[in-house]
Amino acid sequence: MLSAASAAVVRATLPVVRDHAAEITAEFYPSMFAAHPELLNLFNRGNQASGKQQIALAAAVVAYAQHLLDGTPFGPIAERIAHKHVSLGVRPDQYPIVGRHLIGAVATVLGDAVTPEVAAAWDEVYWLFAVTLIAAEAGLYQQAGVSPGTVWRPWRVAKRDEEAVDTASFTLLPDDGGPVPVFQPGQYVSVAVDLPDGHRQPRQYSLSQAPGRGELRITVRRVRGADGAPDGAVSNFLHDNVHADDVVLVGPPAGEVTLQPGDRPVVLISAGIGITPMLSMLGQISAAEPARTVVAVHAETSPDRHAHRAEYARLAGFGQLTWYGKGGDGGQPGLVDVNAIPLPPNAIAYLCGPITFMRDVRAGLLNRGMHTDDIRYEVFGPGMLDN
């Protein structure tokens, strides 16, 4: 709980911090990386360059301050961050580094407005934020049976398959003689590669088949730069350099958006490479809950980009609906029509795809009467889906 004195200061200064949050985090990251370049190995340089990481951090800190003041729910944000941190091996001793540079950035951006009382109040906010995450991450590390120093393990590529245009899957087996970890359908793993420039970069990739097969499979779409954005460093490295018998570093399964077991009907709605967690969920339902009602909806720009198309059709059965933006090959042309999706009573929906796609689909499902708690979504990248 935020102290009364700090609560008064934070309440008074929250509007100005919110208005300058993006500037603060834009100042924070270069300062921290200059002092601690080793931390670059934890961060997606593409998201740094685009500003997405800065925006996500700013939104999270502001949301947590609002939570401390009025109880605005913060649990889903904390859970998402904790899972991401565990997948990367974030350590408790790294939080003081972040806190020092973050509060320093606040002082740099806001200048004389940051009195000692203001700095102390926001330092208290940060440390409550940090303690919340450290506790959540400790529980997740314990569940996974790993520590921050042991998350990365070598995995050998048993098989590589070209699944569609610009999309390949990699089937992985432990190269250290250790066990294949248990995971939940919908979860992801971090994969770290050493790039030609000498930097190590991690990325998260959904596990694209059901658990219990004695292996892990990820499916990676090559990210081609557009509108001035660079190509995806890790996806292109994997496509160009990683083949059968090569070894990559893989972290423990993580992720909070997982298939809820039971008998409730399931509606899976994906676009593009967002099909990957849906394949894991479909595989689990097919193996363990074959009587469960499933409606599977997928959207792609064209049939040749539809990854795992035959596998998806086999698992989804007759409950499958497909839209291809350019039409053709049995898919409905154009964008997904939410009103055309059958919604069984008491269904739970899972969404995965581009942010704009999920925002539109979620709005359509809410308009059709689904409760917000029954719509779950996986965002590829930092941040959360706006409500």
Side-chain angles (χ1 to χ4, degrees):
M1 183 178 297
L2 194 62
S3 67
S6 291
V9 173
V10 171
R11 192 179 304 278
T13 56
L14 181 57
V16 70
V17 171
R18 180 187 289 114
D19 290 344
H20 292 84
E23 296 171 61
I24 291 167
T25 52
E27 170 69 24
F28 154 74
Y29 279 110
S31 169
M32 183 179 69
F33 291 147
H36 296 276
E38 73 279 3
L39 293 179
L40 282 164
N41 289 345
L42 289 174
F43 290 87
N44 181 323
R45 286 189 290 169
N47 288 335
Q48 288 286 317
S50 70
K52 291 179 180 178
Q53 187 72 52
Q54 292 90 322
I55 293 169
L57 174 62
V61 173
V62 167
Y64 187 72
Q66 195 70 59
H67 163 74
L68 291 174
L69 293 176
D70 61 16
T72 300
F74 187 74
I77 301 175
E79 188 178 18
R80 173 174 166 76
I81 295 171
H83 275 273
K84 185 65 68 72
H85 283 182
V86 168
S87 79
L88 294 167
V90 169
R91 306 191 311 265
D93 64 282
Q94 291 167 330
Y95 278 90
I97 298 171
V98 172
R100 182 168 64 253
H101 288 278
L102 185 60
I103 299 304
V106 172
T108 298
V109 172
L110 300 184
D112 293 342
V114 182
T115 64
E117 292 77 16
V118 170
W122 279 96
D123 189 62
E124 188 175 337
V125 169
Y126 173 76
W127 276 107
L128 289 170
F129 177 70
V131 168
T132 297
L133 292 178
I134 290 169
E137 290 157 20
L140 293 174
Y141 281 126
Q142 185 176 33
Q143 290 175 24
V146 298
S147 68
T150 63
V151 297
W152 297 110
R153 295 173 54 196
W155 288 69
R156 185 169 298 279
V157 177
K159 183 172 60 168
R160 169 176 168 157
D161 293 301
E162 306 305 313
E163 303 292 354
V165 171
D166 279 345
T167 306
S169 65
F170 301 85
T171 300
L172 306 170
L173 294 173
D175 197 51
D176 59 4
V180 175
V182 175
F183 66 92
Q184 300 299 313
Q187 289 193 304
Y188 57 80
V189 292
S190 288
V191 176
V193 300
D194 293 319
L195 299 174
D197 64 5
H199 287 96
R200 174 167 293 178
Q201 276 284 278
R203 293 293 185 274
Q204 286 75 42
Y205 296 106
S206 293
L207 294 162
S208 60
Q209 66 183 13
R213 302 184 61 160
E215 61 191 23
L216 300 180
R217 187 182 73 182
I218 59 172
T219 301
V220 180
R221 174 158 291 178
R222 185 191 292 269
V223 177
R224 297 187 182 274
D227 300 323
D231 291 344
V234 177
S235 68
N236 278 273
F237 182 89
L238 291 172
H239 272 265
D240 294 339
N241 298 284
V242 177
H243 303 277
D245 285 334
D246 287 332
V247 174
V248 293
L249 293 176
V250 179
E256 79 285 6
V257 183
T258 59
L259 178 68
Q260 179 178 305
D263 57 4
R264 293 183 64 184
V266 174
V267 180
L268 307 176
I269 307 176
S270 56
I273 200 60
I275 197 172
T276 50
M278 306 309 184
L279 284 163
S280 182
M281 294 183 187
L282 282 170
Q284 178 70 9
I285 293 170
S286 176
E289 302 168 329
R292 194 169 187 180
T293 299
V294 178
V295 176
V297 178
H298 185 62
E300 262 295 358
T301 54
S302 57
D304 63 344
R305 295 183 64 83
H306 189 159
H308 296 284
R309 185 180 178 188
E311 179 182 350
Y312 180 82
R314 174 177 58 81
L315 292 172
F318 294 105
Q320 177 187 359
L321 295 171
T322 305
W323 272 265
Y324 293 129
K326 298 178 182 178
D329 209 11
Q332 301 179 64
L335 303 178
V336 169
D337 180 1
V338 178
N339 292 320
I341 299 173
L343 294 183
N346 195 36
I348 183 168
Y350 296 87
L351 317 181
C352 192
I355 289 285
T356 53
F357 168 83
M358 291 195 292
R359 186 180 292 122
D360 291 345
V361 170
R362 183 173 181 270
L365 294 176
L366 292 173
N367 287 337
R368 291 188 61 186
M370 287 198 74
H371 192 277
T372 183
D373 291 342
D374 291 332
I375 305 172
R376 305 182 180 185
Y377 53 88
E378 177 64 63
V379 177
F380 288 165
M384 300 284 284
L385 182 64
D386 295 335
N387 291 325

